[in-house]
DNA sequence: TGTGCGCCTTGACTTAAATCAAGAATCGAA
DNA sequence: TTCGATTCTTGATTTAAGTCAAGGCGCACA
């Protein structure tokens, strides 16, 4: 029986016709990475890029002393590694599977061929890169201009929004990882959660976080206090 | 006499034929901004993007209390504002002329038309956005993983590299602005310069900085001490 | 040749967050 | 169900960097 892999929607390919998408998938090479397995290393030459079919991949930098800063966690449908692939450069980050992950690998050359034939493909990619860039802009803003509690509040609001405004959200990564994503350490995150809890803005039960006072969180976001 | 404006090479338009480039310039609208003049504000709807012909433009975010974080300083030949223009969004940042600046403005619609006809133009944009993204990635990295002296050392090394490995580099922005670009305040930058000076790594004379011990600077970059 | 104004530096102090160290809670597997 | 290992929390301490306040330097311009 030919069981087809479920294909998550791939924003990268949004706006492409069904035929174009089939063409793209045709040049992709299926790969698998186990939990904890490195997909590429900071400094590796980029011979192509990846799209996550299932599982999760974290993209991170390593400081000399070993502390890591997670830049992204990519899930199904999300591409990574396109940037250095395009610029014909080396990967500027590490990539590691957070759990068992299925990937599609697009070798640089075959992809370039596709793009030349197909301007719309390039358009879709441009949209994706734009969105990514916007995201980085916001990350820089929050890292440099806001304190940890503010960043946390913003993260929770955004998470709630992503989950259809649910008052109770569930972290999809553990708190240590969340700390790294917010550019801090677990201890500090723990204290930030306390601060918001003490102000009756949220309630924390493990990975489950209930937003008690959404307006109050927004306030934090804006004023930084 | 028809004095032609000097046209800096525009990476964006690299790979276009002379005719294509003329077409592009034809749809560009010439604008001027005086020193200190705002070009657009965070939140403005993006109706098009700009290319710097001469002068300098800083792109920055503002914290609620007024502190600014500079994201980029763009000089001749560099485009800015394409991202939200492309995503049909609002500008996520402020743009201000650091000095008297000549600009070319490309309205969204006319540019989109060009792009559709011209895959190479799209390729150029992809490369530009990729580079931008790389830059932002590095900015995030340095903001979150490194102390001010380390960021400063990295900046100086990079600047020296940009100026053909010159041992003596000249800051093209004042120290207050540099502080903001490095995600700090003038006082802290001043002290960071002292630290590097005391270790005999650099010599500072106003905006002129001489790199005495390049290897030592690299060391700082890597070890963060 | 002042003098007024940015720009920069310095010192004293405060503060947010990192680090260090110890324990609790949670979870999974034998 | 108990052991072991992560993961998380808490308290004490240190540290980098921000803030506040004052003064100096350089320079354009009258």
């Amino acid at each position: 029986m030919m069981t087809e892999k479920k294909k998550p929607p791939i924003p990268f390919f949004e706006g492409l016709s069904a035929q174009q998408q089939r063409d793209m998938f045709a040049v992709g090479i299926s790969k698998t990475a186990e939990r904890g397995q490195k997909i590429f290393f900071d400094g590796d030459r980029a011979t192509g890029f990846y799209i996550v079919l299932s599982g999760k991949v974290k993209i991170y930098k390593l400081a000399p002393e070993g502390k890591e800063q997670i830049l992204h966690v990519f899930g199904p449908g999300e591409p990574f590694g396109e940037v250095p692939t395009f610029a014909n450069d080396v990967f500027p980050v590490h990539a590691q599977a957070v759990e068992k992950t299925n990937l599609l690998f697009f070798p640089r050359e075959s992809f370039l061929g596709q793009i030349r034939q197909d301007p719309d493909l390039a358009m879709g990619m441009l949209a994706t890169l734009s969105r990514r860039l916007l995201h980085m802009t916001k990350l820089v803003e929050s890292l440099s201009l806001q304190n940890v509690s503010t960043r946390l509040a913003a993260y929770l609001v955004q998470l709630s929004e992503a989950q259809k405004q649910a008052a109770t959200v569930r972290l999809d990564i553990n708190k240590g990882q969340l700390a790294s994503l917010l550019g801090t350490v677990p201890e500090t995150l723990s204290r930030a959660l306390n601060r918001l809890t003490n102000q009756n803005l949220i309630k924390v039960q493990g990975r489950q976080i209930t937003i008690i006072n959404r307006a109050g969180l927004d306030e934090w976001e804006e004023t930084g206090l």
Side-chain angles (χ1 to χ4, degrees), chain A:
Chain A
M1 195 168 90
M2 304 214 336
T3 55
E4 270 210 4
K5 283 261 171 58
K6 276 189 300 286
K7 288 178 191 166
I10 298 182
F12 224 51
F13 296 160
E14 259 169 31
L16 300 190
S17 71
Q19 181 56 49
Q20 286 173 321
Q21 295 205 17
R22 270 193 298 278
D23 289 349
M24 282 310 306
F25 275 100
V27 305
I29 296 164
S30 191
K31 299 204 175 188
T32 308
E34 298 302 322
R35 171 174 200 275
Q37 188 182 332
K38 293 283 189 67
I39 295 162
F40 54 73
F41 293 79
D42 187 345
D44 284 357
R45 163 136 246 103
T47 58
F49 70 93
Y50 299 81
I51 289 179
V52 179
L53 291 181
S54 68
K56 262 195 279 287
V57 173
K58 73 174 176 188
I59 302 295
Y60 60 102
K61 277 294 225 184
L62 239 33
E65 325 82 48
K67 181 190 166 189
E68 75 175 36
Q69 165 69 46
I70 297 182
L71 302 174
H72 293 279
V73 177
F74 289 123
E78 296 184 294
F80 62 94
E82 343 76 87
V83 175
T85 298
F86 259 105
N88 198 15
D89 201 351
V90 298
F91 292 112
V93 293
H94 297 272
Q96 183 183 24
V98 174
E99 54 192 64
K100 186 170 166 41
T101 297
N102 287 302
L103 300 162
L104 219 43
F105 176 69
F106 294 88
R108 175 182 157 75
E109 291 312 323
S110 39
F111 187 70
L112 280 186
Q114 293 291 106
I115 261 202
R116 282 201 176 282
Q117 297 172 16
D118 201 335
D120 279 343
L121 183 55
M123 294 286 281
M125 294 198 45
L126 281 172
T128 303
L129 288 186
S130 297
R131 246 175 280 125
R132 191 83 47 88
L133 209 32
L134 246 21
H135 170 247
M136 292 301 279
T137 301
K138 285 180 189 137
L139 183 56
V140 168
E141 176 188 11
S142 74
L143 282 177
S144 61
L145 301 176
Q146 299 175 331
N147 63 34
V148 172
S149 295
T150 308
R151 307 207 288 271
L152 173 59
Y155 180 83
L156 292 177
V157 167
Q158 177 219 327
L159 196 62
S160 144
E161 237 131 55
Q163 295 177 14
K164 322 189 67 175
Q165 315 261 12
T168 296
V169 297
R170 163 152 274 283
L171 303 180
D172 54 353
I173 49 180
N174 70 35
K175 287 177 188 168
Q177 306 269 299
L178 175 58
S180 171
L181 190 59
L182 295 177
T184 185
V185 293
E187 295 95 319
T188 300
L189 172 62
S190 186
R191 286 166 183 135
L193 283 167
N194 282 343
R195 232 168 300 162
L196 296 183
T197 301
N198 291 337
Q199 294 186 234
N200 262 303
L201 300 175
I202 61 172
K203 200 168 95 185
V204 181
Q205 297 144 104
R207 285 200 186 176
Q208 195 114 337
I209 297 181
T210 305
I211 295 178
I212 297 173
N213 181 348
R214 166 65 198 269
L217 273 190
D218 286 340
E219 192 98 344
W220 257 92
E221 258 195 86
E222 282 154 30
T223 64
L225 202 148

